[in-house]
Amino acid sequence: MQNETPPAAEGIDYFRQSAEFYPGDNTGLFALPPDVDLAGFPVSSDNNGFCDDEMMRWLRRHRTASLSNLVRIRNAGTTGVNLHLSDLRVEALTDRPAEPVIWFSCPSAGSDDIVEVTIDLADGGRVEFGPSDTDEALPGSAFSFSLAPGEGGVLIVDLIGGDDEYRGMLAATLQYGSEQQSVTLRLDEDSDTFRFPGTGSATSVTIMPPRSPDYPFFCTDESDDEYGCTLPEIRQRVG
């Protein structure tokens, strides 16, 4: 009996993606709900103000959004031509007054230089990308990402904005040969919609890991000055 040739695994349906918790390059900024139990935050006496693995696991469980987002993309096909992503854009962008939020600034050891995408939500969702070690930036319409069969890639998305809360979807055009469709690139595994909680100083506070046994956290004020702060002080800032 002659073996049948298996069907070719190729096409738009073989596009895969996943979102990952990402501490950012040198510093990540993560939104926590105002009623989060900060007393349960794992304090380490030898972390030197950086976020260790246990702290990152706690942030992963409690965060509601992050401003640096890692999206892994892959062509899961085994044959055929490349899958091609282009025209990176923001769709269905909305804004509203920000609600109270606790921002957690998490210094890390940094990461290798990679191409990052920046989305300016206060400028209508303007998308720019380029090497992170240069001043050159290209508009989202110039975005081009090709994946050969079995090949994967990484897209880092940095959200910036103003005092308001923004929500929207990050979309791109996916093409395979003459076939193409719009796809949503998820910054969160649970939703097509991303969220920027807003950085309004009247309703938020930014905290960092402890650097002194005298204070459970360090905070920053409107002038970006850092000071040791207590749990009651943090609660007072977010109402």
Side-chain angles (χ1 to χ4, degrees):
M1 178 181 289
Q2 186 176 8
N3 292 331
E4 294 185 3
T5 302
E10 58 180 281
I12 281 182
D13 291 343
Y14 284 86
F15 175 72
R16 302 288 185 269
Q17 64 171 305
S18 62
E20 294 186 14
F21 185 71
Y22 179 63
D25 185 7
N26 296 321
T27 300
L29 198 58
F30 311 105
L32 302 173
D35 59 352
V36 66
D37 181 16
L38 291 174
F41 183 79
V43 175
S44 174
S45 60
D46 57 356
N47 68 331
N48 296 317
F50 291 96
C51 285
D52 58 25
D53 290 343
E54 188 177 3
M55 293 177 183
M56 296 294 282
R57 285 191 291 268
W58 187 93
L59 288 169
R60 184 182 293 112
R61 291 195 304 270
H62 295 284
R63 66 162 183 151
T64 59
S66 57
L67 297 195
S68 293
N69 305 272
L70 185 151
V71 182
R72 292 194 182 276
I73 54 180
R74 185 167 65 92
N75 180 354
T78 58
T79 188
V81 299
N82 290 3
L83 280 173
H84 184 68
L85 280 168
S86 63
D87 189 20
L88 196 67
R89 59 196 181 271
V90 173
E91 297 180 345
L93 183 64
T94 62
D95 69 287
R96 65 180 185 182
E99 298 178 354
V101 64
I102 295 174
W103 287 103
F104 198 102
S105 180
C106 190
S108 67
S111 61
D112 294 335
D113 288 336
I114 56 176
V115 174
E116 296 193 25
V117 171
T118 300
I119 300 177
D120 190 343
L121 301 171
D123 192 13
R126 177 172 52 85
V127 179
E128 289 186 345
F129 75 99
S132 59
D133 58 350
T134 73
D135 293 330
E136 298 177 1
L138 298 173
S141 58
F143 175 77
S144 180
F145 206 134
S146 290
L147 297 170
E151 185 179 21
V154 173
L155 182 67
I156 303 298
V157 180
D158 297 319
L159 301 178
I160 60 175
D163 290 348
D164 288 349
E165 175 180 313
Y166 291 89
R167 295 176 187 260
M169 295 186 295
L170 182 63
T173 298
L174 180 64
Q175 184 170 355
Y176 182 83
S178 60
E179 184 182 2
Q180 69 176 34
Q181 69 181 48
S182 178
V183 294
T184 300
L185 299 180
R186 287 187 162 192
L187 305 188
D188 190 301
E189 286 284 13
D190 300 324
S191 176
D192 285 345
T193 301
F194 64 77
R195 176 181 177 236
F196 176 94
T199 55
S201 60
T203 58
S204 68
V205 61
T206 300
I207 63 177
M208 295 168 289
R211 303 175 202 167
S212 165
D214 298 328
Y215 297 100
F217 296 97
F218 267 63
C219 294
T220 59
D221 59 22
E222 290 81 356
S223 302
D224 290 330
D225 293 329
E226 300 174 0
Y227 61 94
C229 52
T230 64
L231 293 181
E233 288 174 326
I234 295 171
R235 295 296 179 205
Q236 184 178 14
R237 284 288 299 274
V238 295

PDB file of all heavy atoms in Angstrom, residues 198-232:
ATOM      1  N   GLY A 198      -4.101  55.366  32.720  1.00  0.00           N
ATOM      2  CA  GLY A 198      -3.980  56.808  32.923  1.00  0.00           C
ATOM      3  C   GLY A 198      -3.008  57.126  34.043  1.00  0.00           C
ATOM      4  O   GLY A 198      -2.930  56.410  35.043  1.00  0.00           O
ATOM      5  N   THR A 199      -2.283  58.217  33.889  1.00  0.00           N
ATOM      6  CA  THR A 199      -1.251  58.570  34.864  1.00  0.00           C
ATOM      7  C   THR A 199      -1.573  59.870  35.593  1.00  0.00           C
ATOM      8  O   THR A 199      -0.682  60.573  36.050  1.00  0.00           O
ATOM      9  CB  THR A 199       0.116  58.707  34.159  1.00  0.00           C
ATOM     10  OG1 THR A 199      -0.005  59.663  33.085  1.00  0.00           O
ATOM     11  CG2 THR A 199       0.572  57.380  33.597  1.00  0.00           C
ATOM     12  N   GLY A 200      -2.860  60.212  35.670  1.00  0.00           N
ATOM     13  CA  GLY A 200      -3.260  61.432  36.373  1.00  0.00           C
ATOM     14  C   GLY A 200      -2.766  61.434  37.810  1.00  0.00           C
ATOM     15  O   GLY A 200      -3.073  60.521  38.578  1.00  0.00           O
ATOM     16  N   SER A 201      -2.016  62.455  38.184  1.00  0.00           N
ATOM     17  CA  SER A 201      -1.399  62.476  39.516  1.00  0.00           C
ATOM     18  C   SER A 201      -2.423  62.582  40.632  1.00  0.00           C
ATOM     19  O   SER A 201      -2.158  62.213  41.772  1.00  0.00           O
ATOM     20  CB  SER A 201      -0.409  63.647  39.615  1.00  0.00           C
ATOM     21  OG  SER A 201      -1.071  64.880  39.395  1.00  0.00           O
ATOM     22  N   ALA A 202      -3.634  63.084  40.303  1.00  0.00           N
ATOM     23  CA  ALA A 202      -4.637  63.262  41.351  1.00  0.00           C
ATOM     24  C   ALA A 202      -5.247  61.933  41.791  1.00  0.00           C
ATOM     25  O   ALA A 202      -5.813  61.843  42.878  1.00  0.00           O
ATOM     26  CB  ALA A 202      -5.751  64.191  40.853  1.00  0.00           C
ATOM     27  N   THR A 203      -5.130  60.908  40.955  1.00  0.00           N
ATOM     28  CA  THR A 203      -5.777  59.636  41.269  1.00  0.00           C
ATOM     29  C   THR A 203      -4.806  58.466  41.283  1.00  0.00           C
ATOM     30  O   THR A 203      -5.227  57.325  41.288  1.00  0.00           O
ATOM     31  CB  THR A 203      -6.889  59.335  40.242  1.00  0.00           C
ATOM     32  OG1 THR A 203      -6.310  59.308  38.926  1.00  0.00           O
ATOM     33  CG2 THR A 203      -7.990  60.366  40.306  1.00  0.00           C
ATOM     34  N   SER A 204      -3.513  58.739  41.259  1.00  0.00           N
ATOM     35  CA  SER A 204      -2.570  57.629  41.198  1.00  0.00           C
ATOM     36  C   SER A 204      -1.354  57.913  42.061  1.00  0.00           C
ATOM     37  O   SER A 204      -1.087  59.050  42.452  1.00  0.00           O
ATOM     38  CB  SER A 204      -2.126  57.378  39.750  1.00  0.00           C
ATOM     39  OG  SER A 204      -1.350  58.452  39.280  1.00  0.00           O
ATOM     40  N   VAL A 205      -0.633  56.852  42.338  1.00  0.00           N
ATOM     41  CA  VAL A 205       0.642  56.965  43.043  1.00  0.00           C
ATOM     42  C   VAL A 205       1.568  55.912  42.446  1.00  0.00           C
ATOM     43  O   VAL A 205       1.124  54.832  42.049  1.00  0.00           O
ATOM     44  CB  VAL A 205       0.459  56.744  44.566  1.00  0.00           C
ATOM     45  CG1 VAL A 205      -0.084  55.364  44.872  1.00  0.00           C
ATOM     46  CG2 VAL A 205       1.774  56.971  45.305  1.00  0.00           C
ATOM     47  N   THR A 206       2.836  56.233  42.331  1.00  0.00           N
ATOM     48  CA  THR A 206       3.820  55.291  41.810  1.00  0.00           C
ATOM     49  C   THR A 206       4.702  54.829  42.956  1.00  0.00           C
ATOM     50  O   THR A 206       5.278  55.655  43.679  1.00  0.00           O
ATOM     51  CB  THR A 206       4.685  55.942  40.722  1.00  0.00           C
ATOM     52  OG1 THR A 206       3.853  56.384  39.650  1.00  0.00           O
ATOM     53  CG2 THR A 206       5.698  54.942  40.171  1.00  0.00           C
ATOM     54  N   ILE A 207       4.783  53.521  43.132  1.00  0.00           N
ATOM     55  CA  ILE A 207       5.581  52.956  44.213  1.00  0.00           C
ATOM     56  C   ILE A 207       6.647  52.035  43.636  1.00  0.00           C
ATOM     57  O   ILE A 207       6.558  51.595  42.490  1.00  0.00           O
ATOM     58  CB  ILE A 207       4.707  52.183  45.228  1.00  0.00           C
ATOM     59  CG1 ILE A 207       4.028  50.974  44.550  1.00  0.00           C
ATOM     60  CG2 ILE A 207       3.667  53.109  45.834  1.00  0.00           C
ATOM     61  CD1 ILE A 207       3.223  50.132  45.511  1.00  0.00           C
ATOM     62  N   MET A 208       7.666  51.763  44.433  1.00  0.00           N
ATOM     63  CA  MET A 208       8.789  50.936  44.025  1.00  0.00           C
ATOM     64  C   MET A 208       9.140  49.978  45.166  1.00  0.00           C
ATOM     65  O   MET A 208       8.692  50.170  46.294  1.00  0.00           O
ATOM     66  CB  MET A 208       9.997  51.815  43.680  1.00  0.00           C
ATOM     67  CG  MET A 208       9.785  52.705  42.470  1.00  0.00           C
ATOM     68  SD  MET A 208      11.092  53.953  42.311  1.00  0.00           S
ATOM     69  CE  MET A 208      10.684  55.032  43.684  1.00  0.00           C
ATOM     70  N   PRO A 209       9.931  48.957  44.887  1.00  0.00           N
ATOM     71  CA  PRO A 209      10.329  48.029  45.953  1.00  0.00           C
ATOM     72  C   PRO A 209      11.072  48.749  47.068  1.00  0.00           C
ATOM     73  O   PRO A 209      11.668  49.810  46.860  1.00  0.00           O
ATOM     74  CB  PRO A 209      11.255  47.040  45.232  1.00  0.00           C
ATOM     75  CG  PRO A 209      10.885  47.124  43.801  1.00  0.00           C
ATOM     76  CD  PRO A 209      10.479  48.550  43.573  1.00  0.00           C
ATOM     77  N   PRO A 210      11.034  48.191  48.267  1.00  0.00           N
ATOM     78  CA  PRO A 210      11.720  48.831  49.413  1.00  0.00           C
ATOM     79  C   PRO A 210      13.227  48.837  49.242  1.00  0.00           C
ATOM     80  O   PRO A 210      13.802  47.944  48.646  1.00  0.00           O
ATOM     81  CB  PRO A 210      11.288  47.962  50.591  1.00  0.00           C
ATOM     82  CG  PRO A 210      10.955  46.629  49.982  1.00  0.00           C
ATOM     83  CD  PRO A 210      10.376  46.933  48.638  1.00  0.00           C
ATOM     84  N   ARG A 211      13.846  49.881  49.758  1.00  0.00           N
ATOM     85  CA  ARG A 211      15.306  49.962  49.780  1.00  0.00           C
ATOM     86  C   ARG A 211      15.816  50.141  51.203  1.00  0.00           C
ATOM     87  O   ARG A 211      17.011  50.231  51.431  1.00  0.00           O
ATOM     88  CB  ARG A 211      15.787  51.144  48.934  1.00  0.00           C
ATOM     89  CG  ARG A 211      15.326  51.106  47.503  1.00  0.00           C
ATOM     90  CD  ARG A 211      15.748  52.363  46.780  1.00  0.00           C
ATOM     91  NE  ARG A 211      14.943  52.611  45.618  1.00  0.00           N
ATOM     92  CZ  ARG A 211      14.942  53.755  44.951  1.00  0.00           C
ATOM     93  NH1 ARG A 211      15.692  54.755  45.365  1.00  0.00           N
ATOM     94  NH2 ARG A 211      14.191  53.908  43.888  1.00  0.00           N
ATOM     95  N   SER A 212      14.884  50.279  52.139  1.00  0.00           N
ATOM     96  CA  SER A 212      15.244  50.521  53.532  1.00  0.00           C
ATOM     97  C   SER A 212      14.286  49.732  54.421  1.00  0.00           C
ATOM     98  O   SER A 212      13.090  49.641  54.118  1.00  0.00           O
ATOM     99  CB  SER A 212      15.141  52.018  53.848  1.00  0.00           C
ATOM    100  OG  SER A 212      15.137  52.234  55.245  1.00  0.00           O
ATOM    101  N   PRO A 213      14.772  49.143  55.506  1.00  0.00           N
ATOM    102  CA  PRO A 213      13.887  48.428  56.427  1.00  0.00           C
ATOM    103  C   PRO A 213      12.906  49.343  57.132  1.00  0.00           C
ATOM    104  O   PRO A 213      11.952  48.882  57.759  1.00  0.00           O
ATOM    105  CB  PRO A 213      14.859  47.778  57.410  1.00  0.00           C
ATOM    106  CG  PRO A 213      16.102  48.607  57.341  1.00  0.00           C
ATOM    107  CD  PRO A 213      16.177  49.089  55.924  1.00  0.00           C
ATOM    108  N   ASP A 214      13.113  50.670  57.019  1.00  0.00           N
ATOM    109  CA  ASP A 214      12.236  51.624  57.703  1.00  0.00           C
ATOM    110  C   ASP A 214      10.933  51.871  56.945  1.00  0.00           C
ATOM    111  O   ASP A 214       9.980  52.396  57.519  1.00  0.00           O
ATOM    112  CB  ASP A 214      12.957  52.961  57.895  1.00  0.00           C
ATOM    113  CG  ASP A 214      14.193  52.819  58.772  1.00  0.00           C
ATOM    114  OD1 ASP A 214      14.175  51.954  59.668  1.00  0.00           O
ATOM    115  OD2 ASP A 214      15.175  53.554  58.539  1.00  0.00           O
ATOM    116  N   TYR A 215      10.896  51.507  55.653  1.00  0.00           N
ATOM    117  CA  TYR A 215       9.705  51.784  54.846  1.00  0.00           C
ATOM    118  C   TYR A 215       9.352  50.559  54.008  1.00  0.00           C
ATOM    119  O   TYR A 215      10.238  49.899  53.459  1.00  0.00           O
ATOM    120  CB  TYR A 215       9.942  52.970  53.905  1.00  0.00           C
ATOM    121  CG  TYR A 215      10.205  54.269  54.626  1.00  0.00           C
ATOM    122  CD1 TYR A 215      11.504  54.739  54.785  1.00  0.00           C
ATOM    123  CD2 TYR A 215       9.157  55.028  55.139  1.00  0.00           C
ATOM    124  CE1 TYR A 215      11.755  55.929  55.440  1.00  0.00           C
ATOM    125  CE2 TYR A 215       9.394  56.219  55.809  1.00  0.00           C
ATOM    126  CZ  TYR A 215      10.688  56.659  55.955  1.00  0.00           C
ATOM    127  OH  TYR A 215      10.936  57.837  56.614  1.00  0.00           O
ATOM    128  N   PRO A 216       8.053  50.242  53.874  1.00  0.00           N
ATOM    129  CA  PRO A 216       7.664  49.087  53.075  1.00  0.00           C
ATOM    130  C   PRO A 216       7.813  49.334  51.576  1.00  0.00           C
ATOM    131  O   PRO A 216       7.968  48.382  50.801  1.00  0.00           O
ATOM    132  CB  PRO A 216       6.196  48.885  53.458  1.00  0.00           C
ATOM    133  CG  PRO A 216       5.720  50.228  53.895  1.00  0.00           C
ATOM    134  CD  PRO A 216       6.905  50.881  54.535  1.00  0.00           C
ATOM    135  N   PHE A 217       7.766  50.615  51.156  1.00  0.00           N
ATOM    136  CA  PHE A 217       7.895  50.960  49.743  1.00  0.00           C
ATOM    137  C   PHE A 217       8.583  52.311  49.611  1.00  0.00           C
ATOM    138  O   PHE A 217       8.722  53.059  50.578  1.00  0.00           O
ATOM    139  CB  PHE A 217       6.526  51.024  49.052  1.00  0.00           C
ATOM    140  CG  PHE A 217       5.800  49.718  49.022  1.00  0.00           C
ATOM    141  CD1 PHE A 217       4.828  49.421  49.968  1.00  0.00           C
ATOM    142  CD2 PHE A 217       6.098  48.775  48.054  1.00  0.00           C
ATOM    143  CE1 PHE A 217       4.165  48.218  49.955  1.00  0.00           C
ATOM    144  CE2 PHE A 217       5.432  47.562  48.029  1.00  0.00           C
ATOM    145  CZ  PHE A 217       4.469  47.275  48.978  1.00  0.00           C
ATOM    146  N   PHE A 218       9.008  52.617  48.388  1.00  0.00           N
ATOM    147  CA  PHE A 218       9.425  53.964  48.038  1.00  0.00           C
ATOM    148  C   PHE A 218       8.427  54.528  47.039  1.00  0.00           C
ATOM    149  O   PHE A 218       7.895  53.798  46.193  1.00  0.00           O
ATOM    150  CB  PHE A 218      10.845  53.980  47.462  1.00  0.00           C
ATOM    151  CG  PHE A 218      11.894  54.235  48.501  1.00  0.00           C
ATOM    152  CD1 PHE A 218      12.089  53.346  49.544  1.00  0.00           C
ATOM    153  CD2 PHE A 218      12.670  55.371  48.458  1.00  0.00           C
ATOM    154  CE1 PHE A 218      13.040  53.581  50.523  1.00  0.00           C
ATOM    155  CE2 PHE A 218      13.625  55.627  49.434  1.00  0.00           C
ATOM    156  CZ  PHE A 218      13.813  54.733  50.467  1.00  0.00           C
ATOM    157  N   CYS A 219       8.140  55.814  47.131  1.00  0.00           N
ATOM    158  CA  CYS A 219       7.172  56.469  46.259  1.00  0.00           C
ATOM    159  C   CYS A 219       7.857  57.584  45.481  1.00  0.00           C
ATOM    160  O   CYS A 219       8.931  58.054  45.852  1.00  0.00           O
ATOM    161  CB  CYS A 219       6.025  57.070  47.070  1.00  0.00           C
ATOM    162  SG  CYS A 219       4.975  55.858  47.902  1.00  0.00           S
ATOM    163  N   THR A 220       7.203  58.017  44.404  1.00  0.00           N
ATOM    164  CA  THR A 220       7.652  59.208  43.679  1.00  0.00           C
ATOM    165  C   THR A 220       6.546  60.243  43.712  1.00  0.00           C
ATOM    166  O   THR A 220       5.365  59.900  43.672  1.00  0.00           O
ATOM    167  CB  THR A 220       8.002  58.890  42.220  1.00  0.00           C
ATOM    168  OG1 THR A 220       6.845  58.353  41.557  1.00  0.00           O
ATOM    169  CG2 THR A 220       9.124  57.878  42.135  1.00  0.00           C
ATOM    170  N   ASP A 221       6.922  61.511  43.773  1.00  0.00           N
ATOM    171  CA  ASP A 221       5.923  62.574  43.750  1.00  0.00           C
ATOM    172  C   ASP A 221       5.857  63.200  42.357  1.00  0.00           C
ATOM    173  O   ASP A 221       6.459  62.680  41.397  1.00  0.00           O
ATOM    174  CB  ASP A 221       6.219  63.631  44.816  1.00  0.00           C
ATOM    175  CG  ASP A 221       7.598  64.265  44.631  1.00  0.00           C
ATOM    176  OD1 ASP A 221       8.147  64.211  43.498  1.00  0.00           O
ATOM    177  OD2 ASP A 221       8.122  64.829  45.604  1.00  0.00           O
ATOM    178  N   GLU A 222       5.124  64.300  42.229  1.00  0.00           N
ATOM    179  CA  GLU A 222       4.921  64.915  40.920  1.00  0.00           C
ATOM    180  C   GLU A 222       6.237  65.389  40.306  1.00  0.00           C
ATOM    181  O   GLU A 222       6.346  65.532  39.089  1.00  0.00           O
ATOM    182  CB  GLU A 222       3.949  66.100  41.042  1.00  0.00           C
ATOM    183  CG  GLU A 222       2.504  65.703  41.327  1.00  0.00           C
ATOM    184  CD  GLU A 222       2.268  65.415  42.804  1.00  0.00           C
ATOM    185  OE1 GLU A 222       3.250  65.457  43.583  1.00  0.00           O
ATOM    186  OE2 GLU A 222       1.115  65.144  43.182  1.00  0.00           O
ATOM    187  N   SER A 223       7.242  65.643  41.127  1.00  0.00           N
ATOM    188  CA  SER A 223       8.551  66.077  40.620  1.00  0.00           C
ATOM    189  C   SER A 223       9.491  64.905  40.374  1.00  0.00           C
ATOM    190  O   SER A 223      10.680  65.102  40.102  1.00  0.00           O
ATOM    191  CB  SER A 223       9.200  67.050  41.617  1.00  0.00           C
ATOM    192  OG  SER A 223       8.382  68.173  41.850  1.00  0.00           O
ATOM    193  N   ASP A 224       8.962  63.677  40.475  1.00  0.00           N
ATOM    194  CA  ASP A 224       9.747  62.456  40.313  1.00  0.00           C
ATOM    195  C   ASP A 224      10.793  62.285  41.400  1.00  0.00           C
ATOM    196  O   ASP A 224      11.733  61.502  41.247  1.00  0.00           O
ATOM    197  CB  ASP A 224      10.426  62.406  38.936  1.00  0.00           C
ATOM    198  CG  ASP A 224       9.429  62.207  37.805  1.00  0.00           C
ATOM    199  OD1 ASP A 224       8.391  61.571  38.047  1.00  0.00           O
ATOM    200  OD2 ASP A 224       9.694  62.686  36.681  1.00  0.00           O
ATOM    201  N   ASP A 225      10.649  63.020  42.499  1.00  0.00           N
ATOM    202  CA  ASP A 225      11.518  62.784  43.643  1.00  0.00           C
ATOM    203  C   ASP A 225      11.058  61.530  44.380  1.00  0.00           C
ATOM    204  O   ASP A 225       9.862  61.272  44.510  1.00  0.00           O
ATOM    205  CB  ASP A 225      11.489  63.988  44.591  1.00  0.00           C
ATOM    206  CG  ASP A 225      12.122  65.227  43.977  1.00  0.00           C
ATOM    207  OD1 ASP A 225      13.054  65.062  43.165  1.00  0.00           O
ATOM    208  OD2 ASP A 225      11.688  66.345  44.309  1.00  0.00           O
ATOM    209  N   GLU A 226      12.006  60.773  44.873  1.00  0.00           N
ATOM    210  CA  GLU A 226      11.699  59.515  45.536  1.00  0.00           C
ATOM    211  C   GLU A 226      11.815  59.673  47.056  1.00  0.00           C
ATOM    212  O   GLU A 226      12.701  60.367  47.550  1.00  0.00           O
ATOM    213  CB  GLU A 226      12.644  58.417  45.049  1.00  0.00           C
ATOM    214  CG  GLU A 226      12.556  58.178  43.541  1.00  0.00           C
ATOM    215  CD  GLU A 226      13.607  57.202  43.054  1.00  0.00           C
ATOM    216  OE1 GLU A 226      14.394  56.713  43.888  1.00  0.00           O
ATOM    217  OE2 GLU A 226      13.638  56.934  41.844  1.00  0.00           O
ATOM    218  N   TYR A 227      10.917  59.008  47.766  1.00  0.00           N
ATOM    219  CA  TYR A 227      10.926  59.090  49.229  1.00  0.00           C
ATOM    220  C   TYR A 227      10.313  57.822  49.802  1.00  0.00           C
ATOM    221  O   TYR A 227       9.489  57.173  49.177  1.00  0.00           O
ATOM    222  CB  TYR A 227      10.147  60.321  49.709  1.00  0.00           C
ATOM    223  CG  TYR A 227       8.678  60.336  49.322  1.00  0.00           C
ATOM    224  CD1 TYR A 227       7.705  59.853  50.196  1.00  0.00           C
ATOM    225  CD2 TYR A 227       8.275  60.803  48.075  1.00  0.00           C
ATOM    226  CE1 TYR A 227       6.358  59.862  49.843  1.00  0.00           C
ATOM    227  CE2 TYR A 227       6.936  60.814  47.708  1.00  0.00           C
ATOM    228  CZ  TYR A 227       5.986  60.336  48.594  1.00  0.00           C
ATOM    229  OH  TYR A 227       4.653  60.332  48.249  1.00  0.00           O
ATOM    230  N   GLY A 228      10.745  57.472  50.999  1.00  0.00           N
ATOM    231  CA  GLY A 228      10.163  56.331  51.679  1.00  0.00           C
ATOM    232  C   GLY A 228       8.718  56.613  52.057  1.00  0.00           C
ATOM    233  O   GLY A 228       8.407  57.703  52.556  1.00  0.00           O
ATOM    234  N   CYS A 229       7.814  55.656  51.830  1.00  0.00           N
ATOM    235  CA  CYS A 229       6.399  55.906  52.106  1.00  0.00           C
ATOM    236  C   CYS A 229       5.776  54.704  52.806  1.00  0.00           C
ATOM    237  O   CYS A 229       6.245  53.573  52.695  1.00  0.00           O
ATOM    238  CB  CYS A 229       5.634  56.223  50.816  1.00  0.00           C
ATOM    239  SG  CYS A 229       5.846  55.021  49.486  1.00  0.00           S
ATOM    240  N   THR A 230       4.710  54.986  53.527  1.00  0.00           N
ATOM    241  CA  THR A 230       4.011  53.960  54.303  1.00  0.00           C
ATOM    242  C   THR A 230       2.725  53.557  53.589  1.00  0.00           C
ATOM    243  O   THR A 230       2.256  54.241  52.674  1.00  0.00           O
ATOM    244  CB  THR A 230       3.669  54.490  55.695  1.00  0.00           C
ATOM    245  OG1 THR A 230       2.755  55.591  55.559  1.00  0.00           O
ATOM    246  CG2 THR A 230       4.924  54.963  56.415  1.00  0.00           C
ATOM    247  N   LEU A 231       2.120  52.454  54.022  1.00  0.00           N
ATOM    248  CA  LEU A 231       0.863  52.001  53.443  1.00  0.00           C
ATOM    249  C   LEU A 231      -0.249  53.035  53.600  1.00  0.00           C
ATOM    250  O   LEU A 231      -0.995  53.285  52.637  1.00  0.00           O
ATOM    251  CB  LEU A 231       0.458  50.653  54.040  1.00  0.00           C
ATOM    252  CG  LEU A 231       1.360  49.464  53.697  1.00  0.00           C
ATOM    253  CD1 LEU A 231       0.814  48.192  54.337  1.00  0.00           C
ATOM    254  CD2 LEU A 231       1.463  49.282  52.196  1.00  0.00           C
ATOM    255  N   PRO A 232      -0.421  53.667  54.778  1.00  0.00           N
ATOM    256  CA  PRO A 232      -1.459  54.696  54.891  1.00  0.00           C
ATOM    257  C   PRO A 232      -1.260  55.860  53.921  1.00  0.00           C
ATOM    258  O   PRO A 232      -2.232  56.397  53.372  1.00  0.00           O
ATOM    259  CB  PRO A 232      -1.337  55.157  56.344  1.00  0.00           C
ATOM    260  CG  PRO A 232      -0.802  53.980  57.075  1.00  0.00           C
ATOM    261  CD  PRO A 232       0.174  53.362  56.101  1.00  0.00           C
TER     262      PRO A 232
END
